[in-house]
Amino acid sequence: MAGCFVTFEGIDGSGKSTQVALLARELARRGIHHVVTREPGGTPLGRELRALLLDPENAIAPLAEMLLLAADRAQHVEQVIRPALDEGAFVLCDRYVDSSRAYQGAAGVPSEAIEQVNRVATGGLEPDITFVFDIDPGGALPTGGADRFEKRSRDYHAAVREAFLRIAREEPERVVVIRVDGRSPEEIHGIVLRAMARWLE
């Protein structure tokens, strides 16, 4: 079976991590080799960058933030994602380039800069399929112990959400939007499996 690169996107609190875990469990049940990873933080270097990027005490300019995330991504693609795909594994990644398009784009970084830098960082590697879990920011964000991204305004997170939806409209052949309000994790998981049927057959 050929490898498959699956990415999971959405604002914080949209249930991405739960769906990654449910899909990983299903792949294991079917005996399909898979790798679960995330950005930032999918490599030893990435874990250090993640701590720096999420620390609410750090004041990081939007452009610097984008470049740090791209550095994490370059290491991640080189060290984890491409090797796994080359072995025929399914790679389940919690966040990828679309998060930079949405989060740093909403912070004012020009889309041209985001695209150019990430094209270099990834070597042009795009997901086979991307799931965007869509939820109203008002019901998703944590109220306590928030990280540097979660502490940003509701208006910012609304702009991030709209950016994800715009990406989905622009790339409907790759991006599947799943509205999560009022749906159980199991129901959402069923939608994910149906969308992935041609890779799982």
Side-chain angles (χ1 to χ4, degrees), residues 71-85:
D72 164 78
R73 189 162 294 130
Q75 184 78 359
H76 193 208
V77 168
E78 176 73 19
Q79 191 172 353
V80 177
I81 299 175
R82 281 196 188 276
L85 292 173

Side-chain angles (χ1 to χ4, degrees), residues 24-44:
R25 185 180 70 185
E26 178 63 18
L27 294 176
R29 187 186 71 81
R30 297 183 185 215
I32 297 173
H33 178 39
H34 62 281
V35 171
V36 175
T37 190
R38 68 177 181 177
E39 291 190 352
T43 65

Side-chain angles (χ1 to χ4, degrees), residues 124-166:
L125 179 64
E126 289 285 341
D128 292 293
I129 186 168
T130 296
F131 293 99
V132 169
F133 301 100
D134 183 40
I135 191 170
D136 184 343
L141 298 175
T143 56
D147 65 37
R148 201 173 61 83
F149 289 93
E150 293 166 343
K151 283 183 174 292
R152 293 177 180 174
S153 72
R154 187 167 296 180
D155 286 345
Y156 171 79
H157 288 281
V160 171
R161 177 194 178 197
E162 287 305 314
F164 280 127
L165 295 177
R166 184 177 63 252

Side-chain angles (χ1 to χ4, degrees), residues 11 33 59 64 87 100 103 111 125 134 136 144 146 150 159 162 169 196 200:
I11 64 170
H33 178 39
E87 292 178 356
S100 286
Y103 279 84
S111 59
L125 179 64
D134 183 40
D136 184 343
E150 293 166 343
E162 287 305 314
R169 289 192 298 271
M196 290 197 61
L200 294 173

Side-chain angles (χ1 to χ4, degrees), residues 19 30 78 94 111 123 128 170-171 173 193 198 201:
Q19 294 306 317
R30 297 183 185 215
E78 176 73 19
D94 188 337
S111 59
D128 292 293
E170 292 170 351
E171 299 187 59
E173 71 288 346
L193 291 181
R198 69 187 179 98
E201 290 173 352

Side-chain angles (χ1 to χ4, degrees), residues 3-62:
C4 179
F5 185 19
V6 190
T7 57
F8 298 75
E9 301 283 5
I11 64 170
D12 293 294
S14 61
K16 294 181 290 76
S17 299
T18 297
Q19 294 306 317
V20 171
L22 288 172
L23 182 55
R25 185 180 70 185
E26 178 63 18
L27 294 176
R29 187 186 71 81
R30 297 183 185 215
I32 297 173
H33 178 39
H34 62 281
V35 171
V36 175
T37 190
R38 68 177 181 177
E39 291 190 352
T43 65
L45 173 63
R47 287 190 283 276
E48 295 188 29
L49 290 171
R50 183 181 181 88
L52 186 155
L53 284 158
L54 299 189
D55 187 343
E57 300 301 315
N58 289 334
I60 305 174

